[in-house]
Amino acid sequence: MASGVKPRVKVPKTAAAGETITIKTLISHPMESGQRKDGDGNAIPRSIINRFTTEFNGENVIDVTLEPAISTNPYFQFEAVVPEAGDFKFTWYDDDGSVYEETKSIKIG
Amino acid sequence: MELTRRKLLAIGASTFAIASITGASAYASLTDDAVAAFTGGAATGEGAITITAPEIAENGNTVPVGVDAPGAVAITLFADGNPTPAVATFKFGPLSASRSASTRIRLATTQNVVAVAKMEDGSFQMAKANVKVTIGGCGG
């Protein structure tokens, strides 16, 4: 279990209907690649976040499959269309089965 | 044959060049296989996809990379010098605006970053960017 995992997401508070907004997400996670060795020469087992999804009112925005080549504290920036007021739901899936969630609401105005 | 200083230098330079070429392509065939698995062996076009990466990355642990392919349904990133070439796959949903994304990746050594996009009509687009890495990011 990776400790101290904390998602951080930047979404504008308001947008015009149909407007394109930029979303930035970052989650603190060591993303242990499985390639590194400890002091005794034993391989450190892989422990990464393997999937990240974003939904807006239940409709998919982006679905990312992560491999060990993604850096520590995985960061993603992408663009989304906002057709109406609602909630963005961000979900990260860890190798160990943990699921981290974050929700941001956006208003039209 | 008389071995002059000039000839010796030339020989040294050519062996170094050969060594560096073979070193760079050690994992490249893995990437070709991975790209073929993603495209199903279909030919890839060029032009409708752009990849944004620094020419020189001082730290291979976090290299900012962005891809932009208007009309793509999925984009996969590969790094042909890493022990495993796959980096990430972005699948775009109906509410995705520009079919672009950026992230930070690990690069073990100086290499090409390859982006392959699957377009809405089922064709594939490919782009490459060479990144020089000063300090590798695999902790090997």
Side-chain angles (χ1 to χ4, degrees):
Chain A
M1 170 71 204
S3 59
V5 175
K6 184 177 176 237
R8 271 169 284 181
V9 177
K10 209 168 187 179
V11 177
K13 288 195 172 62
T14 60
E19 192 188 341
T20 296
I21 60 161
T22 301
I23 296 173
K24 293 175 181 175
T25 72
L26 188 133
I27 186 163
S28 50
H29 191 283
M31 295 292 280
E32 193 58 60
S33 69
Q35 300 282 342
R36 298 201 307 154
K37 293 190 170 71
D38 64 13
D40 303 328
N42 305 314
I44 304 171
R46 167 184 142 151
S47 169
I48 68 166
I49 288 172
N50 54 45
R51 186 165 170 236
F52 164 65
T53 62
T54 301
E55 288 181 351
F56 181 73
N57 290 350
E59 215 172 346
N60 183 252
V61 177
I62 196 165
D63 185 340
V64 186
T65 309
L66 287 78
E67 304 286 344
I70 297 290
S71 299
T72 304
N73 304 339
Y75 162 86
F76 292 105
Q77 181 186 329
F78 51 92
E79 292 182 335
V81 179
V82 185
E84 72 244 344
D87 296 325
F88 277 102
K89 190 176 169 206
F90 305 91
T91 317
W92 291 263
Y93 300 86
D94 199 310
D95 265 355
D96 64 13
S98 312
V99 176
Y100 316 107
E101 287 181 354
E102 178 84 350
T103 309
K104 291 273 177 190
S105 38
I106 189 164
K107 292 188 187 111
I108 297 298
Chain B
M1 188 180 94
E2 194 189 354
L3 202 60
T4 63
R5 182 169 169 272
R6 183 165 299 203
K7 274 183 189 158
L8 199 64
L9 275 174
I11 291 164
S14 60
T15 41
F16 177 73
I18 290 162
S20 60
I21 288 165
T22 49
S25 62
Y27 294 114
S29 61
L30 278 178
T31 307
D32 292 344
D33 294 348
V35 170
F38 180 66
T39 62
T44 53
E46 279 179 20
I49 177 168
T50 49
I51 178 164
T52 315
E55 239 172 73
I56 297 171
E58 283 188 9
N59 184 356
N61 268 314
T62 52
V63 183
V65 172
V67 284
D68 184 8
V73 290
I75 301 177
T76 301
L77 280 175
F78 301 99
D80 70 4
N82 278 2
T84 52
V87 174
T89 305
F90 303 96
K91 291 192 194 83
F92 298 104
L95 287 180
S96 172
S98 63
R99 311 296 155 119
S100 68
S102 45
T103 183
R104 294 174 189 151
I105 68 173
R106 290 182 177 131
L107 295 176
T109 175
T110 297
Q111 59 183 289
N112 289 318
V113 177
V114 182
V116 183
K118 186 181 184 190
M119 312 306 277
E120 273 155 359
D121 61 4
S123 66
F124 292 92
Q125 297 279 329
M126 184 158 85
K128 276 185 190 186
N130 189 263
V131 181
K132 291 185 173 63
V133 177
T134 317
I135 302 169
C138 271

